[in-house]
Amino acid sequence: MNDDRFVKCRIALKAAHAALKRGERQEARRQALVAVQLAPDREEPWLLLAMVSGGKPKLKYVKKALEINPKSKHALEMLAWIRKNEPEK
């Protein structure tokens, strides 16, 4: 990833986190999607997208993060939480 895309990704992630703190889930999701488009090979945008999604998409995004980094502590914890609290139907 070039420096420009990395910087834009970091800006989108910060904006998504700020939107979450304000309770603006739609804006957080929009910014997370921007970050995913800029850096589809990084786990953090996928995890953030999972945080603002529900149901099967949430699980899909966490699994994508685990494809990128199978040892990700955050992704493994999120996967365990999803399986415990949001069983697949």
Side-chain angles (χ1 to χ4, degrees):
M1 174 185 335
N2 66 35
D3 290 342
D4 186 49
R5 288 176 71 85
F6 178 77
V7 169
K8 288 179 180 178
C9 176
R10 296 300 314 155
I11 290 169
L13 289 171
K14 285 182 182 183
H17 284 289
L20 268 180
K21 286 182 182 180
R22 294 189 305 269
E24 299 172 2
R25 292 183 67 81
Q26 288 293 93
E27 177 62 14
R29 180 174 168 69
R30 190 180 75 74
Q31 292 294 336
L33 284 168
V34 169
V36 162
Q37 290 174 342
L38 290 165
D41 58 338
R42 297 180 52 93
E43 73 178 279
E44 186 179 1
W46 292 105
L47 290 176
L48 187 53
L49 190 54
M51 287 173 55
V52 296
S53 299
K56 289 184 181 182
K58 176 184 279 196
L59 182 59
K60 180 177 86 170
Y61 300 143
V62 171
K63 286 181 177 180
K64 179 65 178 173
L66 284 169
E67 285 176 19
I68 295 165
N69 181 4
K71 295 180 182 180
S72 169
K73 178 183 175 191
H74 295 294
L76 290 168
E77 288 173 351
M78 192 177 285
L79 181 62
W81 186 91
I82 290 168
R83 288 187 171 153
K84 179 180 178 185
N85 296 289
E86 297 181 16
E88 291 186 61
K89 293 174 178 139

